[in-house]
Amino acid sequence: MASASRRRHRRRIAAATMAVIGLTAGLATGCDAVDKAIDCVQTADTIADSVTGLQQAVENAANDPTQTDQSLNSIEKDLDKIGDKTDNADVNKAVDDLRQAVDNVRTAVKNGDNTPDISPVTDAAGELTKVCTS
């Protein structure tokens, strides 16, 4: 009788231990998701600042044409950070769309356009911010 009671007690302890392990794993996974979301939002915010810098660089291209290239490089660097930190399909699509918009502006500048249309970059950055915060 005593050994049956011990077995039940051990099973309860094992079940409680498994429940604690499951809860801890769930919390760790939740924290990872929150950390990734925070990284996404912070980087999207940085990209928004870079897009503002790009707007100013395009406006001042006559004075310093290298500013546009530097702004585009900054945006691409930030996109790499987001791409490395997420496996979210919506975020990855927004990153790809923004990268394509940046490439289009870069191509326009290389082809001699000193005042390229950067509205696709602005729109794509807004979409990235929206995806990161939803």
Side-chain angles (χ1 to χ4, degrees):
M1 190 79 154
S3 68
S5 174
R6 282 187 197 135
R7 281 192 298 261
R8 280 192 300 264
H9 182 68
R10 286 183 190 146
R11 282 188 219 138
R12 282 188 223 138
I13 290 173
T17 302
M18 293 305 290
V20 168
I21 290 170
L23 178 62
T24 303
L27 289 174
T29 302
C31 288
D32 287 346
V34 169
D35 287 344
K36 285 182 181 180
I38 289 171
D39 287 343
C40 183
V41 170
Q42 288 172 340
T43 306
D45 186 48
T46 300
I47 288 172
D49 291 342
S50 296
V51 170
T52 300
L54 176 61
Q55 289 170 326
Q56 292 170 349
V58 168
E59 290 171 9
N60 297 323
N63 298 333
D64 186 0
T66 63
Q67 284 184 351
T68 302
D69 195 47
Q70 289 170 355
S71 294
L72 293 170
N73 289 341
S74 177
I75 293 169
E76 287 176 333
K77 181 179 162 191
D78 292 333
L79 289 174
D80 289 342
K81 288 180 190 176
I82 291 178
D84 292 344
K85 292 182 181 180
T86 186
D87 56 0
N88 181 293
D90 293 333
V91 172
N92 284 328
K93 181 177 179 345
V95 166
D96 290 344
D97 291 347
L98 182 50
R99 191 177 307 278
Q100 183 60 53
V102 166
D103 287 346
N104 291 344
V105 170
R106 189 179 298 281
T107 299
V109 169
K110 283 182 182 177
N111 290 336
D113 187 352
N114 291 329
T115 57
D117 178 15
I118 63 166
S119 61
V121 173
T122 305
D123 294 344
E127 183 62 26
L128 177 61
T129 301
K130 188 169 99 176
V131 169
C132 283
T133 58
S134 63

